[in-house]
Amino acid sequence: MKIVAVVNNKGGVGKTTSAVNLSAGIAAGKKKVLLVDLDAQGSASLSLGLTRGDLSPGSAEVILEGLPIREAIRPSSVKGLDVLPGSMALASADLALSVVAGREVVLKNVLKPILNDYDFAVLDCPPSLGLLTVNALTAADFFIIPLTPDYLSLEGLVNFMDAVEKIRAGIGGKVAAPLGILLTLADYRLNATKEIGQMIRGFHGRLVFKTEIRVNVKLKEAPSFGKSIFDYDKGSAGAEAYRQLTKEVLQRINKT
């Protein structure tokens, strides 16, 4: 099982949208995929047809209480895609994990029993660099950074990459490798979008995915119907963008 974490310590960058639709895109290729929702809001889980009542037990009970992972996994609205749900019980995860021995590798350990059950796992991380995100980076093979093309996000990216290196040095073990930076919510009606996009590509080069996710109303609508963009409107610009991203992600993984 290849594990990809979708991470950014800033909210509102299309992180969950990307985790959900990348998972669905991979599953569309007849792969068995698990989406692990590590966000207390449970937005990724709700975006794939789960209800509030389906969120528990979920990742919180598995990570914090030792519940066997197979008892918490649910099928989603997408064929071939299962979900380990997120819930508000994750809000106290940093505090609970802070006193646990080996707190950085709890998620890695709880995923071990299902490594042969799935082809891929996608981890939707909370918008912070707390212990859940550290666990995701330690458990994953790769990470993707969704990034909106604006000045504050550009500054935040530098800080984030520095923080990952500090995590790598601090735990003295394996940490996920960067698979790519994904430009999201790109709005070319704004003058700054093209300029900042070029700056990001100029500085980070091939690390930036060729695919960009532009502002698209269908992508905003799909979660409220509990559907991926492919099931909600497969002909939309948003669906085509995530189709292209899925191809690019799989190509990069296959090259490693």
Side-chain angles (χ1 to χ4, degrees):
M1 180 169 77
K2 294 293 186 184
I3 305 175
V4 180
V6 183
V7 293
N8 195 316
N9 56 336
K10 187 176 183 292
V13 296
K15 178 178 55 60
T16 294
T17 299
S18 296
V20 165
N21 291 306
L22 174 61
S23 299
I26 296 172
K30 294 187 168 47
K31 300 291 186 183
K32 188 75 174 155
V33 184
L34 176 68
L35 175 63
V36 179
D37 190 346
L38 297 172
D39 195 337
Q41 295 181 66
S43 299
S45 308
L46 298 171
S47 297
L48 285 168
L50 275 68
T51 66
R52 287 279 169 198
D54 296 324
L55 301 185
S56 181
S59 56
E61 288 77 10
V62 171
I63 294 168
L64 306 178
E65 299 175 16
L67 181 76
I69 189 167
R70 288 191 181 94
E71 294 182 24
I73 290 173
R74 311 272 197 286
S76 79
S77 59
V78 175
K79 185 179 179 182
L81 174 56
D82 290 342
V83 180
L84 179 63
S87 71
M88 279 307 296
L90 289 167
S92 60
D94 275 9
L95 185 61
L97 287 171
S98 66
V99 295
V100 173
R103 56 186 176 267
E104 302 93 352
V105 293
V106 175
L107 178 60
K108 184 175 184 177
N109 290 333
V110 301
L111 288 172
K112 283 180 180 176
I114 60 159
L115 289 178
N116 294 322
D117 294 2
Y118 296 91
D119 299 301
F120 289 90
V122 177
L123 316 180
D124 183 35
C125 300
S128 73
L129 273 172
L131 281 170
L132 282 175
T133 300
V134 171
N135 265 266
L137 290 169
T138 306
D141 300 298
F142 310 99
F143 66 90
I144 292 171
I145 309 168
L147 190 74
T148 52
D150 59 61
Y151 285 109
L152 291 179
S153 292
L154 191 57
E155 288 297 317
L157 177 61
V158 175
N159 295 334
F160 178 80
M161 296 299 256
D162 286 345
V164 171
E165 286 309 310
K166 286 177 182 173
I167 291 167
R168 194 187 307 275
I171 66 173
K174 176 184 169 291
V175 173
L179 190 66
I181 296 166
L182 173 65
L183 297 180
T184 57
L185 299 171
D187 186 350
Y188 282 93
R189 294 170 298 183
L190 305 176
N191 293 332
T193 298
K194 184 176 180 181
E195 178 188 345
I196 297 171
Q198 288 175 339
M199 286 172 63
I200 294 168
R201 291 186 181 281
F203 191 75
H204 293 283
R206 289 190 213 170
L207 188 60
V208 186
F209 288 107
K210 291 178 183 175
T211 306
E212 293 183 7
I213 311 299
R214 299 198 179 195
V215 170
N216 181 264
V217 68
K218 299 295 183 182
L219 286 171
K220 284 190 175 183
E221 292 172 354
S224 62
F225 291 87
K227 293 182 176 182
S228 76
I229 188 60
F230 307 110
D231 290 329
Y232 181 65
D233 190 340
K234 64 182 180 182
S236 66
E240 182 55 29
Y242 277 108
R243 229 174 257 119
Q244 293 304 317
L245 175 68
T246 301
K247 287 180 186 175
E248 207 174 343
V249 165
L250 293 176
Q251 285 170 355
R252 290 192 181 198
I253 289 174
N254 289 335
K255 283 180 182 177
T256 59

